[in-house]
Amino acid sequence: MKILILSLLFCSQVYAVEKLVLTGSSTIAPVLSDIAKSFEKKNSNFRIDVQTGGSSRGVNDARKKLNDIGMVSRKLKDSEKDLSVYTIAKDGIALITHSENSISSLTETQVKQIYRGRIKNWKEVGGQDAAIVVVNKAEGRSTLELFLKFFKLKNSEINASVVIGDNEQGIKAVARNPNAIAYVSIGTAEFNQSVGTPIRLLDFKGVKASVKNVENGSYPISRELNLVTKDKPNSTAKLFIDYVLSKDASSIIREHYFVPVLKK
Amino acid sequence: MLIKINFSKIFATVFAGLVFLSMISILGDILVSAFEHLSLSFLLEDVESAGRKGGVFPVIVSTLLILMVCMLVVLPLGILTSIHLCKYHEKKSSLHFLIRKLIEVLSGVPSIVFGLFGNSFFSVILDMGFSILSGGLTLALMALPLFIYTFERGLSSVPQKDYLVGKSLGLSSWRIYKEIILPQATPSLIVASVLSIGRALAETAALIFTSGYVDRMPESLFDSGRALSVHIYDLAMNVPGGDRNAYNSAFVLMFLILSINAFFHLLHKFYLRKSKAVEEIS
């Protein structure tokens, strides 16, 4: 047993490899760990460790040099312009309801009123007579930030019945409740719809919520998926970022229902 | 009087039944979903496509390594602290009181707090980074209060006269514990270990920020390694289309916990039989 432990402890010193640590957005983490794996297969002396924690953590860790690359699933704020940014993909946010709900689109004002708690019944926007169950995201999620910014709302104004963390949780909450409304990543919503989860993606400003419309830029509520570094990235980080922006990686990004941004 | 007894009996039966039903429904849900898709290759393959494809072999290895680090810390520290706290050392010092209170407080602290502490202390200050080592140590901190609490009760239930007889015969404290007290407290040692292992295996929040998210096969204890519970959480909550493998992984975790429990149960039985045999001889 002792020998086993000692040998395990020493292993890391024997095989010195180039290591990169990424932390940040839980939206980006699964797709990047997939890309990292395919990168490691091609470059066997690299180890890319992808961790999570949320976009804000990605920014903070990059500043404190606790990671090599941070993952941020929103546009960088003005106060964050000290970091170098690489946009790797785009993602839209869709408003979703249960597929039994007859509503197929809502206006900007209606969405605002629903989330503020002014409109409390689906009847008021032309639906069935039932109370609206408002699903909101937890503080610190980039989907929440994008949603608030787009609809010019404050989180304190929102009158939510359910507060959730991840996209999948939002979809589960709506799929179980015919009177719920939530906002989640379009890619995730489209995938769930394609496998038969009973949800409906609402049109917004006459544009269908779909990955295609995010790609061509016609769908308005969308966000960027970014990688950030403190200074100019070192050669290892640069190599990996270039790979993420390459054609090889874009097929993996599509597999995760995001829209890749190719390097120009 | 008679009616009263019947009522309480009925109540007890109904509530016991409810608890039993809820347990069966959880197990059944996982079993039914897993049996449709589970295959041996799931246990032996690497994770692919963020867990939607492939298996969980590296995740199982990481989980067991984290558990190993945790128990290597918990067993010696836990046993020694329990001995220090148990009733044979009658001198009630304020240190005693403090340790006991701290253990009570710690056992009620939410696991995410341990996770954040582990991240800032082990990962950042001690520079272990995201690693199996820092995950295991964080879990050890979490499991220790439970272990000490359980094992100390067991130690204290050994009749005090055994200790005094040993003392009167001039045996050293070391001999008394090794030959007389600890053998009698073995059942509670087993229970304490089972509870600690259960708590460690079920932990998610404390591990996301310490042992991390990487699902590659760990090459050393300084590598980040994803635990099964973290894998299940990520698949169910964060990866579109991960539901099926979340169930499969839940089944693997459940199987792991049940087999560890079964192993300790057998150990306990074996121990009881042995100690009975010793009694008959003497």
Side-chain angles (χ1 to χ4, degrees):
Chain A
M1 196 62 177
K2 269 179 195 159
I3 295 167
L4 177 73
I5 295 160
L6 283 178
S7 61
L8 279 167
L9 284 172
F10 280 107
C11 269
S12 69
Q13 266 94 49
V14 178
Y15 301 105
V17 288
E18 297 269 3
K19 196 170 161 180
L20 281 181
V21 176
L22 284 79
T23 64
S25 163
S26 62
T27 313
I28 310 183
V31 55
L32 264 197
S33 59
D34 255 15
I35 297 177
K37 228 172 259 170
S38 113
F39 183 75
E40 283 170 1
K41 252 178 219 155
K42 290 188 176 127
N43 308 277
S44 57
N45 58 331
F46 286 96
R47 294 288 177 275
I48 317 283
D49 283 5
V50 180
Q51 309 289 355
T52 57
S55 293
S56 307
R57 192 187 172 93
V59 170
N60 287 337
D61 283 0
R63 283 207 177 119
K64 288 189 205 151
K65 290 248 168 197
L66 290 175
N67 63 22
D68 298 292
I69 303 173
M71 300 175 285
V72 185
S73 53
R74 54 171 162 75
K75 213 183 185 110
L76 285 222
K77 298 168 184 166
D78 286 336
S79 60
E80 294 164 350
K81 287 283 150 75
D82 52 316
L83 303 164
S84 319
V85 188
Y86 303 85
T87 302
I88 56 164
K90 276 171 131 189
D91 180 27
I93 291 179
L95 287 153
I96 56 167
T97 55
H98 196 275
S99 53
E100 277 171 25
N101 196 324
S102 57
I103 303 283
S104 66
S105 75
L106 288 170
T107 65
E108 200 172 328
T109 342
Q110 282 172 333
V111 173
K112 260 181 165 171
Q113 300 288 53
I114 288 173
Y115 270 86
R116 278 192 178 135
R118 304 268 160 73
I119 296 179
K120 289 196 158 92
N121 197 303
W122 283 110
K123 181 171 71 173
E124 294 170 59
V125 289
Q128 73 266 38
D129 182 12
I132 300 177
V133 176
V134 174
V135 181
N136 194 28
K137 284 250 180 171
E139 201 75 64
R141 294 281 162 177
S142 57
T143 22
L144 169 77
E145 283 176 35
L146 175 60
F147 180 80
L148 295 180
K149 208 172 160 200
F150 187 87
F151 288 99
K152 296 187 187 67
L153 286 164
K154 280 192 203 121
N155 202 17
S156 53
E157 289 178 288
I158 287 181
N159 198 344
S161 337
V162 187
V163 175
I164 48 130
D166 301 294
N167 287 318
E168 286 285 306
Q169 248 177 314
I171 283 166
K172 277 170 198 161
V174 171
R176 278 191 207 118
N177 191 333
N179 301 316
I181 180 166
Y183 54 92
V184 294
S185 156
I186 285 190
T188 316
E190 216 176 58
F191 168 79
N192 272 283
Q193 201 181 31
S194 72
V195 295
T197 312
I199 53 166
R200 182 199 298 276
L201 283 69
L202 299 183
D203 294 354
F204 193 75
K205 291 192 169 162
V207 183
K208 194 173 175 294
S210 67
V211 171
K212 218 177 109 206
N213 287 339
V214 172
E215 196 163 12
N216 62 30
S218 62
Y219 185 78
I221 324 173
S222 71
R223 61 170 165 174
E224 300 169 351
L225 305 186
N226 290 313
L227 297 183
V228 297
T229 57
K230 172 88 170 86
D231 311 304
K232 284 263 160 260
N234 61 35
S235 58
T236 321
K238 187 85 186 71
L239 205 64
F240 181 62
I241 291 173
D242 283 343
Y243 184 75
V244 176
L245 293 169
S246 73
K247 270 227 162 72
D248 288 350
S250 64
S251 62
I252 302 177
I253 292 176
R254 276 204 197 88
E255 258 175 51
H256 283 262
Y257 313 102
F258 296 126
V259 183
V261 174
L262 286 175
K263 201 181 176 185
K264 275 144 213 146
Chain B
M1 188 64 194
L2 195 69
I3 295 165
K4 211 176 171 186
I5 290 168
N6 277 347
F7 261 128
S8 59
K9 252 191 183 168
I10 291 167
F11 264 125
T13 319
V14 166
F15 282 106
L18 280 177
V19 171
F20 180 71
L21 265 182
S22 66
M23 276 158 71
I24 286 294
S25 63
I26 293 173
L27 289 180
D29 183 35
I30 294 174
L31 277 179
V32 168
S33 314
F35 265 116
E36 281 173 42
H37 309 289
L38 198 69
S39 62
L40 194 63
S41 62
F42 184 73
L43 296 177
L44 301 174
E45 277 173 15
D46 279 354
V47 183
E48 272 169 52
S49 183
R52 288 177 293 190
K53 291 182 205 145
V56 287
F57 186 55
V59 181
I60 295 176
V61 173
S62 299
T63 310
L64 292 177
L65 283 176
I66 293 168
L67 191 64
M68 184 189 82
V69 172
C70 169
M71 290 318 282
L72 280 177
V73 176
V74 164
L75 283 176
L77 277 183
I79 291 174
L80 290 175
T81 313
S82 307
I83 287 177
H84 180 72
L85 287 179
C86 77
K87 65 177 180 190
Y88 302 110
H89 303 274
E90 280 301 350
K91 268 184 243 160
K92 290 265 182 277
S93 65
S94 50
L95 176 70
H96 246 118
F97 180 76
L98 197 67
I99 295 179
R100 213 180 275 275
K101 282 295 157 205
L102 278 179
I103 287 170
E104 276 166 26
V105 170
L106 277 181
S107 59
V109 169
S111 54
I112 184 72
V113 177
F114 280 99
L116 293 174
F117 169 77
N119 179 263
S120 64
F121 185 67
F122 295 121
S123 304
V124 178
I125 296 177
L126 297 187
D127 204 22
M128 294 179 192
F130 288 93
S131 65
I132 287 170
L133 200 59
S134 70
L137 292 174
T138 308
L139 278 192
L141 293 184
M142 270 187 65
L144 261 175
L146 185 67
F147 183 93
I148 294 169
Y149 194 79
T150 318
F151 187 49
E152 194 239 318
R153 286 287 144 94
L155 274 182
S156 298
S157 69
V158 176
Q160 191 160 11
K161 69 173 197 304
D162 289 13
Y163 181 79
L164 295 176
V165 167
K167 270 281 163 198
S168 72
L169 290 173
L171 294 177
S172 66
S173 287
W174 166 251
R175 287 290 299 275
I176 297 173
Y177 275 108
K178 189 166 160 275
E179 312 283 347
I180 301 169
I181 311 280
L182 286 181
Q184 291 191 66
T186 308
S188 73
L189 179 66
I190 292 171
V191 172
S193 307
V194 167
L195 288 177
S196 310
I197 290 174
R199 177 140 198 212
L201 277 178
E203 191 42 51
T204 315
L207 287 178
I208 289 183
F209 294 134
T210 51
S211 62
Y213 187 77
V214 173
D215 53 20
R216 185 195 317 122
M217 179 60 89
E219 286 158 352
S220 82
L221 291 182
F222 292 105
D223 273 359
S224 170
R226 193 190 286 199
L228 265 169
S229 51
V230 175
H231 192 59
I232 296 167
Y233 171 78
D234 192 54
L235 279 177
M237 291 306 179
N238 209 18
V239 176
D243 275 14
R244 212 184 70 194
N245 274 349
Y247 268 113
N248 289 346
S249 312
F251 175 78
V252 173
L253 181 60
M254 210 174 70
F255 183 75
L256 202 64
I257 293 177
L258 286 180
S259 40
I260 288 174
N261 279 9
F263 169 75
F264 276 102
H265 182 73
L266 289 178
L267 200 70
H268 190 186
K269 260 193 159 170
F270 171 77
Y271 168 79
L272 281 184
R273 201 178 300 153
K274 205 177 115 190
S275 64
K276 242 184 208 156
V278 171
E279 257 169 43
E280 272 161 20
I281 291 164
S282 58

